[in-house]
Amino acid sequence: MINRGSRTVIIGVMGGSDVAQPIYELAFQLGAMIAEQGWALLNGGRDAGVMRASAEGAKSRNGLTIGVLPGGSRRGANPFIDIPIFTEMGAARNVINVLSSDVVVALPGGAGTISEIALALKSGKKVCLLKFDVHALFQSCCFPDQLYYAESLQDCMAWLQQHTDV
Amino acid sequence: MINRGSRTVIIGVMGGSDVAQPIYELAFQLGAMIAEQGWALLNGGRDAGVMRASAEGAKSRNGLTIGVLPGGSRRGANPFIDIPIFTEMGAARNVINVLSSDVVVALPGGAGTISEIALALKSGKKVCLLKFDVHALFQSCCFPDQLYYAESLQDCMAWLQQHTDV
Amino acid sequence: MINRGSRTVIIGVMGGSDVAQPIYELAFQLGAMIAEQGWALLNGGRDAGVMRASAEGAKSRNGLTIGVLPGGSRRGANPFIDIPIFTEMGAARNVINVLSSDVVVALPGGAGTISEIALALKSGKKVCLLKFDVHALFQSCCFPDQLYYAESLQDCMAWLQQHTDV
Amino acid sequence: MINRGSRTVIIGVMGGSDVAQPIYELAFQLGAMIAEQGWALLNGGRDAGVMRASAEGAKSRNGLTIGVLPGGSRRGANPFIDIPIFTEMGAARNVINVLSSDVVVALPGGAGTISEIALALKSGKKVCLLKFDVHALFQSCCFPDQLYYAESLQDCMAWLQQHTDV
């Protein structure tokens, strides 16, 4: 009998490549809690900021980690990525990040993170902003139903529980 | 003697595919004024909203129009595009829109337009927001020097004049 | 102590979406043997031909399967893909297929498969052609060291063993 | 009255970045003859081989030249490109090259050129091979109706005349 692959839930975690220590630790804890749920974690795969911290957290709980990289070679990937997807497509890989995630969590970041929130909303994905207060922008023009602002990790995890019955 | 192509200035015009009539007319006028300067106009090429209006305006003054399309065939392009670039890459073409523009003007739009502003800022481009008041968001987190908010078409054109000595 | 993700070897399997039954069965067996080695299998993820067969084979041995899809939603993926990567980029995803594979095996296919062989060789990857006799073309113009032609599955597997110490 | 952009025919010219002098000269002549027909020329835009030569030829007859570049900045473009489209997408831009051309001419080249022929055929485009004798490969597996082999520039131009009533 053939064992069909069970449907893996994939949580996308976006956020800055240069973040303060409390955000780095929050990303680590988020990654760990995602892995504890049995979910796979997907991020941008680079060896910096939220990408490194969330993958490191997921691996601390033996989670599966996927990194969609802007470059074409393993040098750019952080060591906590199990499945590196190399695109050599620069910022165009941001689209792949959000399309390949069942739901997206966005921590504080810069323009790259904002582009990923926008692209996720445009493609119909649900997005949880974790301590990244840009919801006023997006809520004013679009998408009130797709966007959630979480003040705490616990709040974010509860929201994820509700939105992963995919 | 070989006639080397003179360096064409390319102005990217971003904005919503579903906009109110005053914004449609503003986009038409912007396209016309860009063409009058001898600049080429680049947009997303689809047959809707700011993409159609700005190209129509540019062609009303015999300007050159370039459309970078999300799809792969001519059916999706508006009839005012001289040079359609077909990508079949969906939203990933937003990256090409901003990288291929010397400077970017963003009119009111939705998540796609916000993604283009973010991607433009991330790639180091200068962006003029024309009656699209999302500058508070972007200025709070990043890029005060790259972003300008224009209340009027005249203000926008004056800013473009200053930023096209490329 | 943090458990760093061990380095997973990823074998890319390319081939036609419409193939004769013997090739379908060969692709199934190849997928099964890749999984038995503990390697992950990566392909184009669609529910047809070599993509479906090789993933089905890998899952019959509990392997890990990754599919890089041309579309943006789960409907296009075959049920044997564990990790679907959605690109909405059409044929541009062929580049990602080969960049994300440590080595590539190409079974008989059409123009899409030939494009993947060419893109793999261009990016410096090693490619094993399994019963797909297009090596004359590629060897005449380029890349004799990167390309191998295997007449049998056993030959292909022996070659893979030699080229996966990455 | 609004002057709708007349439909510009776009001829894609593909070929190697490192070619012998006779091929460089052939590419120059091809570019010149394309421009004399009033057609626009599209190529990969880099400052090497067939990309440079064909653009230089087109500009010698005041043609319009479009270059779809793998990188993100003007440094990589050759000086004979009027409209550089920057993608920062590496080889994925090969897809855009062929999708944006009405018909494709392929001169001798390496794996990149072969990938473009394959991608063009896959997308349904007609391709003229000019002194690049890889037709045996493609004709054996696919697409006899889409592919033509021309021994001379005159033969190629006659074929283009027949296939540009788009």
Side-chain angles (χ1 to χ4, degrees):
Chain A
M1 199 201 90
I2 289 169
N3 173 25
R4 292 198 177 208
S6 65
R7 174 73 181 77
T8 309
V9 171
I10 300 178
I11 310 293
V13 175
M14 310 299 146
S17 57
D18 183 12
V19 294
Q21 189 62 20
I23 299 300
Y24 192 95
E25 286 168 16
L26 184 66
F28 182 99
Q29 291 170 10
L30 175 64
M33 294 180 82
I34 285 171
E36 283 173 356
Q37 297 291 328
W39 299 330
L41 177 140
L42 183 150
N43 66 31
R46 288 174 51 216
D47 198 16
V50 167
M51 291 175 278
R52 178 184 169 99
S54 60
E56 189 177 358
K59 291 314 295 176
S60 76
R61 298 297 189 279
N62 276 314
L64 180 69
T65 53
I66 305 154
V68 181
L69 287 133
S73 79
R74 203 162 266 277
R75 274 197 312 279
N78 78 64
F80 304 102
I81 294 297
D82 295 320
I83 308 289
I85 302 293
F86 296 106
T87 68
E88 229 168 54
M89 285 188 190
R93 74 79 145 86
N94 294 8
V95 176
I96 303 175
N97 284 353
V98 301
L99 288 173
S100 302
S101 301
D102 292 307
V103 290
V104 171
V105 180
L107 283 86
T113 304
I114 292 173
S115 79
E116 288 166 320
I117 296 167
L119 292 165
L121 294 171
K122 185 163 180 61
S123 70
K125 300 285 178 181
K126 287 195 158 56
V127 177
C128 179
L129 304 172
L130 177 52
K131 288 187 178 287
F132 190 30
D133 60 352
V134 293
H135 47 298
L137 162 80
F138 289 105
Q139 281 183 324
S140 68
C141 71
C142 41
F143 310 109
D145 296 342
Q146 288 173 247
L147 199 64
Y148 181 76
Y149 177 72
E151 258 304 338
S152 70
L153 187 54
Q154 286 65 35
D155 192 10
C156 172
M157 289 305 296
W159 182 90
L160 283 176
Q161 296 276 8
Q162 290 171 353
H163 294 90
T164 47
D165 51 347
V166 282
Chain B
M1 199 201 91
I2 288 169
N3 173 23
R4 294 197 174 205
S6 64
R7 176 72 183 80
T8 309
V9 171
I10 300 177
I11 310 292
V13 175
M14 311 298 145
S17 55
D18 182 13
V19 295
Q21 189 63 19
I23 299 299
Y24 192 95
E25 286 168 17
L26 184 66
F28 181 98
Q29 291 170 9
L30 175 63
M33 294 180 84
I34 285 171
E36 284 173 355
Q37 296 293 327
W39 300 329
L41 178 140
L42 183 151
N43 66 29
R46 290 175 48 218
D47 197 17
V50 167
M51 291 175 279
R52 179 183 168 97
S54 59
E56 190 177 357
K59 291 314 296 177
S60 77
R61 297 299 187 280
N62 275 315
L64 179 69
T65 55
I66 306 156
V68 181
L69 286 132
S73 79
R74 203 161 265 276
R75 274 198 312 279
N78 78 63
F80 304 101
I81 294 296
D82 296 317
I83 308 289
I85 302 293
F86 297 107
T87 68
E88 230 169 50
M89 285 189 189
R93 75 80 147 83
N94 295 8
V95 175
I96 302 175
N97 284 353
V98 299
L99 287 174
S100 302
S101 301
D102 291 308
V103 290
V104 172
V105 180
L107 282 85
T113 304
I114 293 174
S115 78
E116 287 166 320
I117 297 167
L119 291 165
L121 294 172
K122 186 165 177 61
S123 71
K125 300 284 178 183
K126 286 194 159 55
V127 178
C128 179
L129 304 172
L130 177 52
K131 289 187 179 285
F132 191 30
D133 60 353
V134 293
H135 48 297
L137 163 79
F138 286 105
Q139 281 184 322
S140 69
C141 73
C142 39
F143 311 106
D145 295 343
Q146 289 173 247
L147 200 64
Y148 181 76
Y149 178 73
E151 260 303 337
S152 70
L153 187 53
Q154 288 64 34
D155 192 8
C156 172
M157 289 305 294
W159 182 89
L160 284 176
Q161 297 276 11
Q162 289 171 353
H163 293 91
T164 45
D165 51 346
V166 284
Chain C
M1 200 200 90
I2 288 168
N3 173 24
R4 291 196 177 205
S6 64
R7 176 72 183 78
T8 309
V9 171
I10 300 178
I11 309 294
V13 175
M14 310 299 146
S17 58
D18 183 12
V19 294
Q21 189 64 18
I23 298 300
Y24 192 95
E25 286 168 16
L26 183 67
F28 182 99
Q29 290 170 11
L30 175 64
M33 294 180 82
I34 285 171
E36 284 173 355
Q37 297 292 328
W39 299 329
L41 178 141
L42 183 151
N43 66 31
R46 290 175 49 216
D47 197 17
V50 167
M51 290 175 278
R52 178 184 169 98
S54 59
E56 190 177 356
K59 291 314 297 176
S60 76
R61 299 297 189 279
N62 275 312
L64 180 70
T65 55
I66 306 155
V68 181
L69 286 132
S73 80
R74 204 162 265 277
R75 273 197 313 278
N78 78 65
F80 305 102
I81 294 296
D82 296 319
I83 308 289
I85 302 293
F86 296 106
T87 67
E88 228 169 53
M89 285 188 189
R93 73 84 146 82
N94 294 9
V95 175
I96 303 175
N97 284 354
V98 299
L99 288 174
S100 301
S101 301
D102 291 307
V103 290
V104 171
V105 180
L107 283 85
T113 304
I114 292 174
S115 79
E116 288 166 319
I117 296 167
L119 292 164
L121 294 172
K122 186 166 177 59
S123 72
K125 300 284 179 182
K126 287 193 159 56
V127 178
C128 179
L129 304 172
L130 177 52
K131 288 185 178 287
F132 191 31
D133 59 353
V134 294
H135 47 298
L137 162 79
F138 288 106
Q139 280 183 324
S140 69
C141 73
C142 40
F143 310 108
D145 296 342
Q146 289 173 244
L147 199 65
Y148 181 77
Y149 177 72
E151 257 305 336
S152 71
L153 188 53
Q154 286 65 35
D155 191 9
C156 173
M157 289 304 296
W159 182 88
L160 284 176
Q161 296 277 8
Q162 289 170 355
H163 293 91
T164 47
D165 51 345
V166 283
Chain D
M1 198 200 91
I2 287 168
N3 172 24
R4 293 198 175 204
S6 64
R7 175 73 181 78
T8 309
V9 171
I10 300 177
I11 310 292
V13 175
M14 311 300 146
S17 57
D18 183 13
V19 295
Q21 188 63 19
I23 299 300
Y24 192 95
E25 285 167 18
L26 184 66
F28 182 98
Q29 291 170 10
L30 175 63
M33 293 179 84
I34 286 171
E36 283 172 356
Q37 296 292 328
W39 300 329
L41 178 140
L42 183 150
N43 65 31
R46 290 173 50 216
D47 197 16
V50 167
M51 293 175 277
R52 178 183 169 98
S54 59
E56 190 177 357
K59 292 314 296 176
S60 76
R61 297 298 188 279
N62 275 315
L64 180 69
T65 55
I66 306 156
V68 181
L69 287 132
S73 79
R74 205 161 264 276
R75 273 197 312 279
N78 78 63
F80 304 101
I81 294 295
D82 296 318
I83 308 290
I85 302 293
F86 296 107
T87 68
E88 229 169 52
M89 286 188 187
R93 76 82 148 80
N94 294 8
V95 175
I96 303 174
N97 284 353
V98 299
L99 288 173
S100 302
S101 301
D102 291 308
V103 289
V104 171
V105 180
L107 284 85
T113 304
I114 293 174
S115 79
E116 287 166 321
I117 297 167
L119 292 164
L121 294 172
K122 186 166 177 61
S123 72
K125 299 285 178 181
K126 287 194 161 56
V127 178
C128 179
L129 304 172
L130 176 53
K131 290 187 177 287
F132 190 31
D133 60 354
V134 293
H135 46 300
L137 163 80
F138 288 106
Q139 281 184 323
S140 68
C141 72
C142 40
F143 311 107
D145 295 343
Q146 289 173 247
L147 199 63
Y148 181 76
Y149 177 72
E151 258 304 337
S152 70
L153 187 53
Q154 286 65 33
D155 192 9
C156 172
M157 289 305 296
W159 181 89
L160 284 176
Q161 296 276 10
Q162 290 172 354
H163 293 90
T164 46
D165 51 347
V166 284

